[in-house]
Amino acid sequence: MENVVIIGSGCAGLTAAIYAGRANLKPLVIDGHEQGGQLSLTTHVENYPGFPDGIMGPELIENMRKQAQRFGAEFKAGQVNEVDLTQRPFKVVAGKDTYETKSLIVAAGATARLLGLEGERDLIGRGLSTCATCDGFFFRNKPIAVVGGGDSAMEEANFLTRHASKVYLVHRRNEFRASKIMIDRAKANPKVEFVTPFTVEQIIAPQGHVEGARLRNLETNEAREITVDGVFVAIGHDPNSTVFKGKLDMDSNGYLIANHGSLTKIPGVFIAGDVQDHRYRQAVTAAGSGCMAALDAEKFLEEHKD
Ligand SMILES: Cc1cc2nc3c(=O)[nH]c(=O)nc-3n(C[C@H](O)[C@H](O)[C@H](O)COP(=O)(O)OP(=O)(O)OC[C@H]3O[C@@H](n4cnc5c(N)ncnc54)[C@H](O)[C@@H]3O)c2cc1C
């Protein structure tokens, strides 16, 4: 019987593991499909406090993991495919393994949608990004492209003009899902050029770093090449919450909903990180909410010692 099982080993899960470990709870962390989470995919992280010269994402996450291990956290490979939250102890099933636990922290994160182009994933951190707040600063006075047609694409395009010399907003339709006010704002921005109805056929990166993009007009079949140092894919995120459908409250996009802090409608089940946050989506906010979840779990276990 575990005191606390933590689903996910990104910033949120690992921070929860550090706090739960230091509370002598011997947390069990289930890694999931992506050990270390989204930060393990990237290169430079310059906005995580405490690192004046920045730090590589995989190194930051490895440090968190070692810190959690130092305080007794145990790690298991595996993907949780079923949970029974109807009674305590909760049951967590990961393949052939079933764990029983007095409390549960869900820190399963989210997955940024990509375009589905060949080699695209390898370019993350090498000119391809899914996070303007994280990576915009790396493109000072450089031309970049934002791909997408929703509010977040418009917001990212506008935000990125603070850094970039020019922003191509590439969208496959002439109409946008984004709200009128966001479209108008982007259209009024002299640094933003709308490129529609174009789809990205290829990201040009002969040296392993983005140098441009090959586009195709979906109405005329015209081909166009743009020279850019960065491509920001802003077509949405999918929270990794399928396992909790019908079990925990979630919004229409699948993001888990907390009642207060990290608390859910089920006493003893707590949520943290990007799986419950479609607004901030930062390493430090995920880590902060992981801390909250561990403190809430600790308090819960203290109050339910039976
Ligand atoms: C390319 C890129 C660059 C970024 N750069 C920065 C940056 O510079 N600064 C910054 O602050 N933020 C950055 N971010 C955002 C930051 O990485 C995320 O906000 C943060 O990782 C969220 O942490 P998390 O723990 O909530 O989720 P994630 O990092 O998404 O981790 C989720 C974890 O849950 C696991 N999991 C999922 N489903 C299951 C399951 N069913 N069973 C078991 N485990 C499961 C996964 O394997 C993973 O370990 C970047 C993101 C990306 C993609």
Side-chain angles (χ1 to χ4, degrees):
M1 167 78 75
E2 308 292 338
N3 291 313
V4 53
V5 164
I6 299 170
I7 300 180
S9 57
C11 313
L14 293 177
T15 306
I18 293 167
Y19 275 78
R22 293 189 79 242
N24 278 334
L25 294 176
K26 293 193 182 359
L28 175 75
V29 183
I30 303 177
D31 273 326
H33 63 288
E34 199 167 67
Q35 183 182 316
Q38 295 171 65
L39 266 199
S40 63
L41 299 175
T42 192
T43 50
H44 294 97
V45 177
E46 290 193 333
N47 55 7
Y48 197 87
F51 300 93
D53 301 319
I55 183 166
M56 298 302 269
E59 189 186 347
L60 175 57
I61 212 79
E62 187 53 31
N63 285 346
M64 290 186 195
R65 195 175 176 95
K66 283 188 193 145
Q67 198 174 346
Q69 276 165 334
R70 181 176 152 219
F71 297 115
E74 202 191 324
F75 288 83
K76 292 268 187 204
Q79 174 86 357
V80 173
N81 52 309
E82 208 185 313
V83 287
D84 180 354
L85 309 179
T86 53
Q87 54 180 18
R88 288 199 302 271
F90 305 121
K91 280 202 183 72
V92 176
V93 183
K96 280 182 269 162
D97 301 315
T98 298
Y99 305 96
E100 288 198 330
T101 183
K102 295 176 193 167
S103 69
L104 179 68
I105 295 176
V106 180
T111 308
R113 288 185 204 143
L114 293 176
L115 300 168
L117 301 172
E118 202 185 321
E120 188 182 11
R121 216 177 141 86
D122 298 336
L123 292 173
I124 293 177
R126 293 175 178 79
L128 190 126
S129 177
T130 54
C131 175
T133 312
C134 311
D135 297 331
F137 195 76
F138 298 122
F139 297 92
R140 265 156 299 163
N141 301 319
K142 292 180 174 166
I144 53 136
V146 172
V147 186
D151 272 345
S152 58
M154 299 297 151
E155 199 177 324
E156 301 225 330
N158 269 321
F159 170 79
L160 287 163
T161 57
R162 288 188 205 175
H163 304 290
S165 55
K166 179 177 182 76
V167 176
Y168 295 97
L169 190 105
V170 183
H171 182 47
R172 61 196 164 147
R173 282 192 287 270
N174 288 320
E175 306 76 43
F176 296 93
R177 254 182 309 109
S179 51
K180 188 174 176 313
I181 185 167
M182 297 298 289
I183 300 167
D184 290 347
R185 206 172 287 163
K187 283 200 166 150
N189 192 321
K191 280 192 180 177
V192 179
E193 178 182 331
F194 279 64
V195 185
T196 65
F198 276 87
T199 183
V200 181
E201 275 192 343
Q202 193 197 344
I203 294 173
I204 303 164
Q207 316 285 337
H209 201 282
V210 174
E211 292 180 17
R214 191 160 299 135
L215 313 177
R216 174 82 51 193
N217 186 313
L218 291 174
E219 279 174 5
T220 62
N221 210 31
E222 169 206 352
R224 177 171 173 187
E225 235 176 73
I226 51 173
T227 304
V228 287
D229 289 277
V231 173
F232 285 78
V233 180
I235 55 174
H237 287 73
D238 294 312
N240 302 319
S241 62
T242 321
V243 171
F244 306 99
K245 226 174 211 155
K247 296 174 180 174
L248 293 176
D249 289 340
M250 54 179 73
D251 67 16
S252 55
N253 294 317
Y255 282 94
L256 299 182
I257 298 171
N259 284 344
H260 177 69
S262 75
L263 276 60
T264 66
K265 67 177 181 186
I266 302 179
V269 179
F270 307 94
I271 57 179
D274 282 14
V275 74
Q276 50 87 59
D277 171 21
H278 52 82
R279 185 178 172 86
Y280 301 106
R281 291 199 289 248
Q282 293 295 291
V284 69
T285 48
S289 66
C291 157
M292 288 160 63
L295 294 178
D296 286 335
E298 191 186 330
K299 190 164 186 289
F300 172 84
L301 291 170
E302 192 58 38
E303 289 168 356
H304 297 80
K305 277 191 160 155
D306 38 89

